[in-house]
Amino acid sequence: MSTTRDASTAPEGHKPVPAPLAAALLAVVLEAAALLGMAVAFLLDVVRGLVVDVSTTVAMAVFFVGLALLLIVGGRALWRRRRWGRGPVITWQLLQAVVAVATAGALPIYLVVLLILVSVGVIVGVLWPSSRDYASHTGTPSFLP
């Protein structure tokens, strides 16, 4: 007798995360890490005295930390099968793609293309039918189980 189960017989609470959603969430974690890295770089520049306007640089660092936390919380909600996590994750992807296109003249073209492809990939992964079915639970957006 086999002790393995396939995904169709798994209990509702132990359903495996679909591959498109897992890939999208991995990209979201990497984006959040990049935002945190930028925030640290801004603060290091302030400490080293390399910036002209300290308050703006610190504000940008705080803003980037907030965006990173929002991405992590939204990704965690999707991982925990909560539908509300789609909003912040998809909104960031749209903003990232628009900013990439708007700054195309100042950025290398490969970076613009990479940012747009990552944004499209995350949106597709989050909205894939199996991902939508997986993360379709509603409820309060709390940190409690």
Side-chain angles (χ1 to χ4, degrees):
M1 180 180 346
S2 173
T3 59
T4 61
R5 294 185 192 175
D6 66 334
S8 62
T9 62
E12 186 68 21
H14 295 93
K15 197 172 180 183
V17 178
L21 182 60
L25 292 178
L26 175 63
V28 166
V29 167
L30 293 175
E31 289 172 342
L35 287 167
L36 288 174
M38 287 297 298
V40 168
F42 285 152
L43 294 176
L44 287 175
D45 284 349
V46 168
V47 170
R48 292 181 190 150
L50 300 175
V51 297
V52 175
D53 190 359
V54 173
S55 60
T56 301
T57 306
V58 170
M60 286 296 294
V62 170
F63 180 71
F64 279 21
V65 168
L67 279 175
L69 291 175
L70 184 63
L71 280 174
I72 294 297
V73 170
R76 182 175 183 261
L78 289 171
W79 184 268
R80 296 181 71 194
R81 308 183 72 194
R82 298 289 188 188
R83 182 174 66 189
W84 70 265
R86 287 185 203 139
V89 169
I90 291 176
T91 299
W92 170 250
Q93 302 311 315
L94 294 172
L95 287 171
Q96 178 174 270
V98 167
V99 169
V101 169
T103 59
L107 295 175
I109 192 67
Y110 71 87
L111 187 57
V112 173
V113 171
L114 177 67
L115 290 172
I116 292 170
L117 288 177
V118 168
S119 295
V120 169
V122 170
I123 291 171
V124 168
V126 168
L127 295 179
W128 198 259
S130 61
S131 300
R132 282 193 330 249
D133 290 342
Y134 176 82
S136 62
H137 287 60
T138 58
T140 59
S142 70
F143 293 102
L144 303 174

